[in-house]
Amino acid sequence: MLITIRPAVEQDVDAIVEMVNRFAAQNIMLPRSEESVRRTLADWLVAVAFDPITGTERVAGFGSLVALSETLVEIRSLAIHEEFQGQGIGSMLVPALVEMARERDFEQVCALTLRPSFFTRLGFEIVDRWSISPKVWQACIYCAKFHRCDEVAVLMPLVARPAKEEIKAPAWNGLLRYDAWQPLKLAYQRKVDEPAKVR
Ligand SMILES: CC(C)(COP(=O)(O)OP(=O)(O)OC[C@H]1O[C@@H](n2cnc3c(N)ncnc32)[C@H](O)[C@@H]1OP(=O)(O)O)[C@@H](O)C(=O)NCCC(=O)NCCS
C-alpha cells in the first residue's frame, strides 16, 4: 500500500464529509457540512492509499487548517479511516499540515485533541486551553460535549522564540556587570537584595 499526501480536490469531498460526520456521531470530532468542506477545500490535505494489486485509490485520512488569527492556525478535522489507523499515516499528515501552516506564514499551530500524546510525539506542547484564541471555541457550540469538554489544547511555535536580547555594558561604564542597563531596577534590586545589616 502506497500512501501519498496531497491537497484535497473536489472528488475527495464526499469521502471527507462522510468520515468526519461518522466520527462526529461518535463524539470524537466536530461535524463539518459539505458546504464548509467545499468552501475551504484549499485548506485540506488528504492521505491517499494506492493499492497496487487493484490499481485503486482510497482516501485514508485528511486534516484541515483553520486560521484563528493572522498568526495562529488550528489543525482541525484530522481523521484517519479506521482501517488505516495505527500505521503512521496521521504521523505523516500532521507534519504536512504543519509545513502548510509554515508556508502560509503562520507563527503558531494548535489543535484540540483527545490524543495529546499523539501530538506531543510530533513536537507539540500541551498548553492551557484557555490561553488559545477564543476563536478556537467558536465551533464548540456545535459540540455535544460543550459543557463537559475533555479536549486538550496543544501548540507548536513555527518561528524561533526571540532570544533574550544581549545588551552589552556601555563602554563608558566598565564596572557595570549586569546584562542590561536598568538603573532604576538596579537601585531597587540592591536595596532588596542587600542583607539586613545587624549591628
Ligand atoms: C488520532 C488519529 C488521527 C491518529 O492517526 P493514526 O494514523 O492512527 O496515527 P499514527 O499511526 O501515526 O500513530 C498512532 C499510534 O500508532 C503508533 N504507530 C505509528 N506508526 C505505526 C505503525 N507503522 N504501526 C503501528 N503503530 C504505529 C504510534 O506510536 C501512535 O501511538 P500514540 O497513540 O502514542 O500516538 C487517528 O487515530 C484518528 O483519526 N482517530 C479518530 C479520529 C480522531 O480522534 N480525530 C481527532 C484527532 S485530533
Side-chain angles (χ1 to χ4, degrees):
M1 191 75 66
L2 182 71
I3 302 293
T4 312
I5 310 277
R6 60 155 171 76
V9 294
E10 285 285 323
Q11 288 74 10
D12 302 322
V13 172
D14 288 349
I16 293 174
V17 173
E18 187 277 323
M19 207 193 311
V20 168
N21 292 319
R22 188 155 42 80
F23 284 130
Q26 297 167 32
N27 280 341
I28 49 179
M29 57 198 305
L30 291 172
R32 296 286 290 256
S33 69
E34 182 180 332
E35 187 275 327
S36 117
V37 175
R38 276 190 202 285
R39 182 167 36 82
T40 60
L41 207 53
D43 304 325
W44 292 75
L45 291 181
V46 293
V48 181
F50 175 72
D51 184 343
I53 298 168
T54 58
T56 54
E57 269 192 357
R58 276 179 69 190
V59 172
F62 46 78
S64 72
L65 291 183
V66 176
L68 301 178
S69 72
E70 274 183 19
T71 56
L72 175 66
V73 70
E74 181 191 351
I75 292 182
R76 195 178 289 178
S77 306
L78 174 72
I80 305 298
H81 192 285
E82 294 90 331
E83 278 178 42
F84 295 95
Q85 286 178 13
Q87 297 174 37
I89 302 175
S91 304
M92 290 167 67
L93 204 42
V94 169
L97 286 162
V98 168
E99 197 45 43
M100 188 158 107
R102 202 188 297 276
E103 281 167 11
R104 293 182 179 191
D105 287 336
F106 287 101
E107 293 177 7
Q108 292 178 309
V109 55
C110 69
L112 292 175
T113 181
L114 299 173
R115 289 275 297 273
S117 64
F118 168 74
F119 281 93
T120 52
R121 200 169 40 78
L122 295 170
F124 285 73
E125 53 190 303
I126 295 175
V127 292
D128 175 0
R129 56 184 152 130
W130 300 112
S131 70
I132 292 192
S133 161
K135 274 185 114 182
V136 80
W137 304 105
Q138 281 177 2
C140 299
I141 55 169
Y142 303 108
C143 180
K145 294 191 289 181
F146 181 64
H147 294 292
R148 49 187 170 90
C149 176
D150 46 6
E151 301 228 318
V152 174
V154 290
L155 188 77
M156 182 193 277
L158 301 178
V159 288
R161 291 191 176 107
K164 194 179 171 196
E165 199 182 350
E166 198 183 312
I167 305 173
K168 296 221 164 57
W172 50 265
N173 187 347
L175 295 175
L176 187 65
R177 288 181 296 119
Y178 294 86
D179 64 350
W181 175 231
Q182 298 170 331
L184 289 176
K185 194 173 162 198
L186 289 179
Y188 173 74
Q189 276 180 342
R190 276 204 196 105
K191 266 189 196 155
V192 172
D193 296 344
E194 259 173 28
K197 285 181 184 146
V198 182
R199 291 170 195 263

